[in-house]
Amino acid sequence: QVKLVESGGGSVEAGSSLTLSCTASGITYSGYCIGWYRQVPGKQREAVATIDSGGGVMYSDSVKGRFTISQDKARFIVFLEMTTLQPEDTALYYCAADVGGVTARQALELYPALNPNFWGQGTQVTVST
């Protein structure tokens, strides 16, 4: 069974950096994609960044140039390094996995029509002015 556990959230001031981690277990599929999504209460969940097993990466326009997604394939950990954080980045950040050969581009561009198979519980990021 696939399990995703997020960590690294917290409260920071605007302009700060924070790195989230997503530790995945139970992924036995050769082709997969893991992404970071965020949700603010009352708004639709947004796809932020995705990375697939082939190393492809995609970012939403709102975080491009500020966030970097990477993975440690040996340990099945996906990181989201967030820099120059702004109050509008405040959200509950989720890690989610698509299996079956979904690419990073598909996972980001087709969300939410293409909904990840597995989700973590989320980690809160709060950015204050």
Side-chain angles (χ1 to χ4, degrees), residues 18-52:
L18 205 60
T19 298
L20 306 182
S21 299
C22 172
T23 302
S25 60
I27 295 182
T28 58
Y29 312 90
S30 57
Y32 63 86
C33 179
I34 295 179
W36 287 96
Y37 302 74
R38 66 186 182 185
Q39 188 166 27
V40 176
K43 293 188 177 181
Q44 187 175 8
R45 191 176 296 178
E46 172 191 16
V48 173
T50 55
I51 187 166
D52 59 43

Side-chain angles (χ1 to χ4, degrees), residues 34-101:
I34 295 179
W36 287 96
Y37 302 74
R38 66 186 182 185
Q39 188 166 27
V40 176
K43 293 188 177 181
Q44 187 175 8
R45 191 176 296 178
E46 172 191 16
V48 173
T50 55
I51 187 166
D52 59 43
S53 50
V57 297
M58 286 289 291
Y59 299 95
S60 67
D61 289 341
S62 60
V63 306
K64 196 174 297 182
R66 299 188 299 122
F67 290 13
T68 302
I69 190 170
S70 61
Q71 63 180 331
D72 181 336
K73 296 184 74 173
R75 295 190 295 163
F76 264 110
I77 302 176
V78 172
F79 304 96
L80 184 68
E81 180 183 5
M82 307 182 292
T83 64
T84 321
L85 283 162
Q86 300 300 316
E88 52 265 34
D89 295 315
T90 294
L92 186 59
Y93 283 72
Y94 295 91
C95 170
D98 288 278
V99 297

